[in-house]
């Protein structure tokens, strides 16, 4: 039994490594950029490890560096963190947390990043075990922490400035969006995203991201309500299995 569990754990780890390889290629250089930025902000290199391991919030960490360097009040930092990461509330609605063992759930909730959610949103992840999901999250954080630490150490030894690595995050989400499109070829969602961006650019160009995300989220909720109603109507109109199996009365046949 012990050997079977060991083989099962190794299989989950190998599967998670394959699942996260492409994402790691973007997370690692982005972590390098964060590490260099930490050192250039005036903090010691080990703060990069602390930020990436304890905060582990991606874009918020870049924002947090400026807030910390400016000695921003803690209450303002808390409000900023709440607004930036509020989207994770919606992630929790469909993330397969029920597959994860109870003891590992606190870490699974802590490590629920954009990348982890995107990887589990596709049809391919429907067959993943809870252990494979947790390993996937662990490896994503390892890529991030390792990149940030190496970037900070290198930035402390060499006065280098890395240009262009910030595009790694954009490239990462473009790849994830293409993967999602290949898994579910639904045209309304990308059209809704494009329309939200266009409206925000025309109406509130100074608050483009906030307006576009609000419009996109509202559109997704409206679409969910409308498609859910259609599904319920179709389910009500469709005869049940018992009705299909019931014998037809004599004389009622045509």
């Amino acid at each position: 039994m012990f050997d079977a569990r060991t083989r099962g754990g190794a299989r989950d780890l190998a599967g998670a490594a394959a699942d996260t390889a492409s994402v790691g290629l973007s997370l690692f250089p982005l972590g390098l950029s964060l590490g260099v930025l930490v050192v250039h902000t005036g903090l010691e290199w080990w703060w990069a490890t602390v930020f990436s391991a304890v905060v582990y919030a991606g874009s918020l960490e870049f924002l947090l560096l400026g807030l910390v360097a400016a000695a921003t009040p803690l209450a303002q930092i808390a409000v900023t963190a709440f607004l930036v990461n509020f989207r994770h509330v919606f992630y929790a609605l469909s993330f397969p947390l029920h597959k994860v063992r109870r003891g590992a759930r606190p870490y699974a909730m802590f490590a629920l990043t954009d990348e982890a959610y995107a990887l589990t949103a596709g049809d391919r992840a429907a067959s993943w075990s809870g252990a494979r999901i947790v390993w996937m999250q662990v490896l994503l954080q390892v890529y991030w922490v390792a990149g940030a630490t190496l970037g900070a150490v290198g930035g402390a030894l060499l006065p280098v400035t890395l240009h262009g690595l910030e595009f790694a995050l954009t490239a990462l989400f473009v790849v994830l969006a293409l993967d999602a499109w290949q898994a579910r070829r639904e045209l309304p969602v990308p059209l809704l995203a494009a329309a939200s961006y266009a409206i925000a650019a025309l109406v509130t160009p100074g608050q483009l991201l906030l307006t576009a995300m609000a419009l996109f989220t509202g559109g997704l909720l409206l679409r969910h309500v409308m498609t859910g109603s259609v599904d319920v109507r179709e389910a009500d109109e469709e005869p049940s299995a018992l009705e299909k199996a019931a014998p037809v009365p004599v004389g009622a046949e045509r």
Side-chain angles (χ1 to χ4, degrees):
M1 179 178 293
F2 180 77
D3 291 340
R5 288 183 178 179
T6 302
R7 288 195 296 271
R11 187 168 56 248
D12 288 330
L13 176 58
D19 300 329
T20 58
S22 59
V23 179
L25 291 176
S26 295
L27 272 183
F28 186 79
L30 193 64
L32 287 175
S33 179
L34 174 67
V36 173
L37 188 61
V38 166
V39 175
H40 287 186
T41 305
L43 300 174
E44 296 291 337
W45 70 267
W46 50 267
W47 275 110
T49 307
V50 173
F51 273 119
S52 56
V54 178
V55 180
Y56 192 41
S59 57
L60 178 63
E61 293 176 55
F62 286 93
L63 186 61
L64 192 59
L65 284 177
L67 296 176
V68 171
T72 305
L74 186 59
Q76 185 174 342
I77 293 177
V79 172
T80 303
F82 174 76
L83 293 176
V84 172
N85 287 330
F86 185 71
R87 65 189 185 280
H88 290 258
V89 173
F90 298 98
Y91 291 170
L93 297 178
S94 57
F95 185 75
L97 189 64
H98 61 281
K99 292 185 176 181
V100 179
R101 289 187 177 182
R102 190 178 301 275
R105 287 180 183 176
Y107 177 76
M109 290 186 285
F110 164 75
L112 180 51
T113 59
D114 299 321
E115 295 79 11
Y117 177 78
L119 287 175
T120 56
D123 294 337
R124 188 182 57 177
S127 61
W128 290 1
S129 66
R132 183 166 173 170
I133 293 172
V134 174
W135 274 122
M136 177 268 295
Q137 293 181 285
V138 169
L139 290 175
L140 289 179
Q141 189 171 15
V142 167
Y143 302 145
W144 180 248
V145 175
T149 302
L150 289 178
V153 172
L157 297 176
L158 300 172
V160 296
T161 302
L162 301 178
H163 296 288
L165 282 182
E166 64 276 9
F167 183 72
L169 186 61
T170 303
L172 169 62
F173 283 104
V174 168
V175 172
L176 291 176
L178 292 175
D179 285 344
W181 165 256
Q182 290 179 345
R184 298 181 180 180
R185 295 181 179 273
E186 294 184 351
L187 189 59
V189 174
L191 289 179
L192 178 61
S196 300
Y197 176 84
I199 294 173
L202 291 174
V203 178
T204 57
Q207 300 291 332
L208 192 151
L209 182 61
L210 183 62
T211 304
M213 290 298 294
L215 289 174
F216 186 54
T217 303
L220 289 177
L221 291 175
L222 180 62
R223 180 174 182 266
H224 175 72
V225 172
M226 294 178 65
T227 55
S229 300
V230 172
D231 292 341
V232 170
R233 276 203 308 273
E234 291 177 349
D236 292 340
E237 293 173 356
E238 185 178 354
S240 64
L242 290 176
E243 291 172 342
K244 292 179 179 177
V248 179
V250 177
E253 299 176 349
R254 295 183 178 180

